[in-house]
Amino acid sequence: MPGTPVDLTAAESTRVAASVLLPLVAQGAIIRRPRATAWAERHQTDRRARAVLAGLRDRYGDAPLVLPVGRRRLVVVTHSRDVRRLLEGTPAPFTPASFEKRGALAHFQPDGVLISSAAARAVLRPVNEAALQSARPVHDHAPAFARATSAAMDGLVERARPAGQFDAADFTDAWWELVLEIVLGAAARTDRRIIDLLDRLRRDGNWSWFRPRRPWLRHELEHRLAAHLDTPAPDALAGRLRPAGLATAVSQVPHWLFAFDAAAAATLRALAVVSARPEIRDRLRAEAARAGPGPALLPDARACVLESLRLWPTTLAVLRDATRPTVWGRRTLPAGTGFVIVSAFFHRDPRRLAHADDFVPHAWIDGRHEADARMVPFSAGPAACPARNLVLLVASHALSRLADQDLCVGRGRFLREDPLPCTMDHLALRFGIGAV
Ligand code: HEM
């Protein structure tokens, strides 16, 4: 039985807007703003957000919290029962194509599945699932992906060795080359104009409806993608979209490229923790030695990436809009109501999770986290991330390869022991080589 939503007072609404929603928007929902993420880490904004939501949950007994935002009414849910209802009730009566997401994503992927209509989704979702092989832990192209990942991480370390260190920007450069190779094929590796265009459009996306569209940039991006997709390399991921037609392939790939940025953030943060904790690093090394070269599943490394995503979710909030009036306890909320699941609040809920702020990758292996409806780093239900398995494969191989180096992390003293910081600015991470 869903709880009856409560209207927050003006003071409470201001507190939620200032402490929960504003930091999410300021950091950039579509591409992180470096100065804002540094500010968020300095102020540990997620700690404050959690305290505000926990206080309101205690006060209103798990009821959804209703607040006005501009001309819209947003409902922030605080109970796992409501998380499940929203995600399982996708795409109707709760569409993932929320007002805010449509405004943001249309800058660079107006026809992406995430913001598509129900009719288009019925076609595009299976196309994405088939190409990404959502149900398979190891994609058919995994041998090529694993090879490319190892080579990219080795190259990063070799380039960094003379200086004895690399930072998040160096990692990101190596990462984008890898992503271009995986998604579009080896010939696209150096086509950095694609990433440059995407970054510019994503920066527009951060401003959602408030920034005018720049279709000429999007057309250039699509034109470049079409050139690579016209005759795709045999093991390029996007080649798997070609049976759906060139136009469909071009329309879905911008989301894929954009979303690999989240995988970089998750890998960097996992690497930071692993580099600060020799016992975990040794476990990953032993796992890699047992697995040998190739596309093996690496359960320990995979669990470290998942744990990084639990502690520092890259999708800061999962949004849904009601497509029709929906009944919540004794209230009916109108069509168009927006719903917000603040990922970090559920992932680190100290009331229900004894190890809320600790690094416990094993809880992903023994099934505790997988069975927990509050853990939504990849969302859940019919619009859950169709690339979850693929992302975990690539990120775990990258992490494992780098864990094999003697890395130390710049802010290791904050990461060596639990509890871990609520907010971590991955863009400011820096690693030393051979100094452990
Ligand atoms: C760490 C990396 C990633 C994370 C944490 C992540 C997370 C998510 C989340 C939370 C959603 C659902 C949003 C919602 O429910 O509103 C989503 C959707 C999606 N993701 Fe990912 N994602 C990642 C990487 C990727 C990659 C690399 C790809 C493609 C290669 C991808 C493809 C998609 C697609 C196509 C959707 C839309 C699904 C739909 O609307 O049915 N994601 N992702």
Side-chain angles (χ1 to χ4, degrees):
M1 171 71 178
T4 301
V6 289
D7 290 313
L8 296 181
T9 64
E12 288 166 342
S13 298
T14 306
R15 216 178 317 141
V16 171
S19 304
V20 181
L21 304 180
L22 184 73
L24 305 189
V25 174
Q27 287 177 78
I30 305 300
I31 187 168
R32 296 292 185 266
R33 300 181 174 104
R35 270 192 292 201
T37 52
W39 164 84
E41 182 185 86
R42 257 194 326 277
H43 294 273
Q44 290 293 303
T45 52
D46 292 282
R47 182 185 307 283
R48 170 89 185 124
R50 178 169 76 177
V52 166
L53 288 182
L56 291 168
R57 176 178 62 184
D58 289 347
R59 171 152 193 216
Y60 293 116
D62 297 331
L65 310 169
V66 185
L67 68 152
V69 174
R71 270 190 267 162
R72 253 162 88 70
R73 205 149 44 152
L74 288 187
V75 180
V76 179
V77 295
T78 61
H79 195 282
S80 59
R81 164 197 61 213
D82 297 330
V83 171
R84 199 176 302 120
R85 179 177 181 204
L86 291 170
L87 299 183
E88 294 300 334
T90 298
F94 304 113
T95 176
S98 70
F99 175 76
E100 292 78 10
K101 249 187 272 176
R102 279 184 284 122
L105 296 181
H107 283 278
F108 60 97
Q109 49 149 323
D111 300 312
V113 60
L114 189 53
I115 54 168
S116 59
S117 66
R121 164 170 289 279
V123 176
L124 292 174
R125 175 77 196 187
V127 163
N128 273 273
E129 284 183 359
L132 297 165
Q133 298 191 333
S134 308
R136 301 189 51 175
V138 177
H139 195 280
D140 278 353
H141 290 339
F145 297 163
R147 240 187 343 267
T149 305
S150 299
M153 296 303 110
D154 291 353
L156 165 68
V157 172
E158 281 323 304
R159 280 194 300 281
R161 208 174 281 287
Q165 60 167 353
F166 66 87
D167 60 15
D170 300 320
F171 176 89
T172 306
D173 279 345
W175 187 260
W176 280 128
E177 278 193 13
L178 170 65
V179 170
L180 288 168
E181 177 167 354
I182 287 179
V183 176
L184 298 171
R189 269 187 68 170
T190 51
D191 195 346
R192 288 302 297 258
R193 177 75 183 154
I194 288 182
I195 303 303
D196 177 46
L197 288 164
L198 193 60
D199 279 359
R200 290 167 73 181
L201 290 164
R202 287 171 64 197
R203 280 196 283 274
D204 291 351
N206 273 348
W207 293 98
S208 191
W209 298 103
F210 296 106
R211 176 66 60 91
R213 306 262 184 265
R214 293 195 280 179
W216 60 94
L217 292 183
R218 181 162 63 78
H219 293 148
E220 187 186 342
L221 173 66
E222 290 171 351
H223 185 69
R224 290 188 96 88
L225 293 177
H228 291 292
L229 284 168
D230 202 21
T231 47
D235 42 22
L237 188 59
R240 294 281 178 147
L241 284 170
R242 283 297 272 117
L246 184 60
T248 299
V250 168
S251 71
Q252 303 307 299
V253 167
H255 184 109
W256 291 13
L257 294 171
F258 140 74
F260 261 112
D261 197 12
T267 309
L268 270 168
R269 290 183 178 125
L271 182 64
V273 178
V274 169
S275 303
R277 301 186 180 196
E279 68 286 0
I280 304 182
R281 193 187 55 212
D282 292 347
R283 219 167 45 234
L284 298 196
R285 275 186 175 158
E287 178 178 67
R290 278 195 310 277
L297 264 189
L298 301 172
D300 278 317
R302 193 182 162 97
C304 286
V305 176
L306 280 163
E307 191 61 347
S308 153
L309 284 165
R310 178 183 73 83
L311 290 162
W312 301 288
T314 50
T315 305
L316 304 174
V318 180
L319 307 177
R320 293 288 181 268
D321 275 5
T323 55
R324 57 171 189 259
T326 54
V327 177
W328 296 77
R330 293 182 301 283
R331 267 180 91 165
T332 299
L333 298 176
T337 302
F339 294 87
V340 185
I341 301 167
V342 179
S343 318
F345 173 68
F346 287 100
H347 290 186
R348 286 195 185 218
D349 181 354
R351 194 163 97 181
R352 298 199 167 92
L353 204 62
H355 60 267
D357 293 325
D358 303 348
F359 196 74
V360 188
H362 200 71
W364 290 102
I365 295 176
D366 65 22
R368 271 178 291 163
H369 284 169
E370 295 285 5
D372 188 335
R374 291 161 306 166
M375 302 297 165
V376 288
F378 288 97
S379 189
C385 180
R388 179 187 160 121
N389 276 324
L390 173 81
V391 166
L392 292 176
L393 185 87
V394 174
S396 62
H397 275 259
L399 176 65
S400 180
R401 197 71 177 187
L402 290 174
D404 202 31
Q405 304 289 332
D406 281 336
L407 299 183
C408 62
V409 59
R411 285 171 291 169
R413 68 181 189 287
F414 297 114
L415 305 174
R416 203 162 293 137
E417 286 173 4
D418 297 324
L420 284 161
C422 285
T423 306
M424 194 205 289
D425 175 12
H426 66 285
L427 299 174
L429 286 171
R430 186 176 284 279
F431 298 87
I433 303 174
V436 176

